[in-house]
Amino acid sequence: MNPRASLRSRIGTGIAVAAVLIFTLFPVYWMVSSAFDAKASSGGQSLLPQEFTFDNFAFVLTEGGFGTFLRNSAIVAVVTVLVSALVCLLAAVAVARFRFTFRTTVLMMILVVQMVPLEALVIPLFLQVKSLGLLNSILGLMVVYVALSLAFGIWMLRGFVAAVPVELEEAAYIDGASWWRMFRSILLPLVMPGLVATSIFSFITAWNEFIFAMTILGAQTDQYTVSIGLKSFFGLFANDWGSIMAASTIITLPVMIFFVIVQRRLSAGMVAGAVKG
């Protein structure tokens, strides 16, 4: 290959990669930069902070009441992840390993539910939560988020469970293992990558979702999550951009931390799931 052509190709690739990185990361940089800029609140933010300050974060966490919103979101997200992961895993094992009446119908219903736009479910879920007496409470919001996570989680985990050879389970039974021992030592490590993937989906849904949170919680401000709390910094005629960017930065950090944690579990699960021939 011509050295000049190879050099031009590498330069072109480098420029393309740099352009994609700038396009992707610049909004994040602008958010963080404005969060530390004292003049951002008045709309005077620039590429670099003109006056570096932590006042925007202090205002958001104290007078803005964002600490309460963070606590509520953390509770909702953690409970949603744990409950949906448990239910999805058990349901996936049931539909992948057992044969029962209407099994195909159940699978088709799960697939159809994934095709329905979330906006179309707002009113039905609102009426169900209202009938349960759980309106204006984070418990009702947890129920909704778990329900939204089940269809995707069951469908994804079903593929992971079905991919595990039945012979591995039978060999464990022959060796005297109980169902729980087989489940904990054989099946769970092999489906861990899928479980982590569904947990990421459930966490992001519970942490960032706005429409259902606003509908279920209504005017119960002490129950608000971060997505609704962020709305309080938008005014009718002006916006407090410094506080908005500081709150957005705070919202982003838990998602990044959670992803880093589960990424390690995802890698560990893939290694643990390796089968030697």
Side-chain angles (χ1 to χ4, degrees):
M1 184 176 181
N2 191 330
R4 292 185 178 180
S6 176
L7 178 61
R8 287 196 298 267
S9 177
R10 289 197 295 267
I11 293 175
T13 302
I15 293 174
V17 171
V20 171
L21 287 176
I22 292 173
F23 180 79
T24 304
L25 298 178
F26 181 77
V28 179
Y29 166 78
W30 185 262
M31 176 185 70
V32 177
S33 175
S34 300
F36 290 102
D37 192 347
K39 294 187 177 181
S41 297
S42 58
Q45 67 269 31
S46 59
L47 193 60
L48 294 174
Q50 301 179 45
E51 295 182 17
F52 190 86
T53 181
F54 288 96
D55 291 344
N56 293 327
F57 290 92
F59 175 80
V60 165
L61 293 174
T62 55
E63 298 181 37
F66 221 71
T68 302
F69 304 149
L70 285 171
R71 181 200 63 196
N72 294 338
S73 286
I75 294 173
V76 171
V78 170
V79 172
T80 300
V81 168
L82 294 178
V83 174
S84 62
L86 177 62
V87 175
C88 288
L89 181 56
L90 295 178
V93 172
V95 297
R97 283 290 187 259
F98 301 106
R99 298 294 181 267
F100 51 88
T101 307
F102 301 121
R103 174 178 174 273
T104 303
T105 304
V106 171
L107 291 175
M108 291 302 300
M109 290 177 62
I110 293 174
L111 184 61
V112 169
V113 168
Q114 294 186 73
M115 300 178 183
V116 178
L118 292 181
E119 292 76 9
L121 300 175
V122 173
I123 295 178
L125 288 175
F126 172 82
L127 295 176
Q128 291 185 11
V129 173
K130 181 180 180 181
S131 65
L132 294 173
L134 297 177
L135 279 180
N136 301 320
S137 69
I138 59 175
L139 179 58
L141 190 60
M142 293 176 196
V143 173
V144 170
Y145 287 161
V146 170
L148 293 177
S149 303
L150 289 183
F152 173 82
I154 294 173
W155 188 262
M156 172 172 281
L157 284 176
R158 171 189 169 274
F160 280 87
V161 175
V164 177
V166 180
E167 290 77 12
L168 291 177
E169 301 177 13
E170 294 175 346
Y173 292 140
I174 293 174
D175 291 339
S178 61
W179 184 89
W180 168 247
R181 179 64 183 276
M182 181 281 302
F183 178 82
R184 179 171 57 87
S185 302
I186 304 296
L187 189 61
L188 185 59
L190 293 174
V191 301
M192 184 61 70
L195 194 61
V196 169
T198 57
S199 297
I200 293 174
F201 172 80
S202 300
F203 183 86
I204 293 177
T205 299
W207 189 263
N208 293 333
E209 200 280 326
F210 175 81
I211 297 178
F212 285 97
M214 193 67 196
T215 304
I216 301 300
L217 297 178
Q220 199 72 21
T221 56
D222 60 328
Q223 302 287 315
Y224 278 180
T225 57
V226 290
S227 58
I228 310 177
L230 183 63
K231 182 178 67 71
S232 63
F233 300 110
F234 288 88
L236 184 60
F237 300 104
N239 301 321
D240 186 357
W241 289 111
S243 299
I244 292 172
M245 295 303 181
S248 300
T249 302
I250 295 173
I251 293 174
T252 305
L253 288 177
V255 178
M256 295 175 60
I257 294 172
F258 179 79
F259 183 79
V260 170
I261 294 174
V262 297
Q263 175 102 13
R264 296 177 180 176
R265 293 298 303 168
L266 177 61
S267 301
M270 293 177 67
V271 173
V275 179
K276 295 182 179 180

